[in-house]
Amino acid sequence: MHKNKRNSNYKIKIIRVGNRSGEIVRSIVKETLEAILAKNGAVSNNIDEVLLKYIKD
């Protein structure tokens, strides 16, 4: 059995200011998630929809 696998949940609370805050946060999160997915050999076809669902303007 492989014990290197980690399952973790994260909750980040961001206080946003300005009109484009949601767009900026989604952009940063998208870049980070794509890097993590690429590192693990995974691809997400609906990352924009998921980010819009969880990160509101």
Side-chain angles (χ1 to χ4, degrees):
M1 188 181 253
H2 222 75
K3 296 201 179 218
N4 290 339
K5 190 173 184 177
R6 295 185 309 171
N7 292 329
S8 301
N9 293 323
Y10 295 96
K11 184 173 185 177
I12 299 171
K13 185 173 184 177
I14 299 171
I15 299 172
R16 299 175 290 175
V17 178
N19 294 338
R20 296 182 53 218
S21 299
E23 181 182 335
I24 294 167
V25 171
R26 279 192 301 274
S27 174
I28 294 168
V29 171
K30 182 178 178 179
E31 288 179 22
T32 304
L33 286 176
E34 286 176 334
I36 292 168
L37 291 171
K39 179 180 174 184
N40 291 296
V43 176
S44 174
N45 294 326
N46 66 339
I47 195 165
D48 291 318
E49 292 85 8
V50 171
L51 292 176
L52 279 171
K53 179 179 177 182
Y54 291 102
I55 302 174
K56 306 285 183 191
D57 284 328

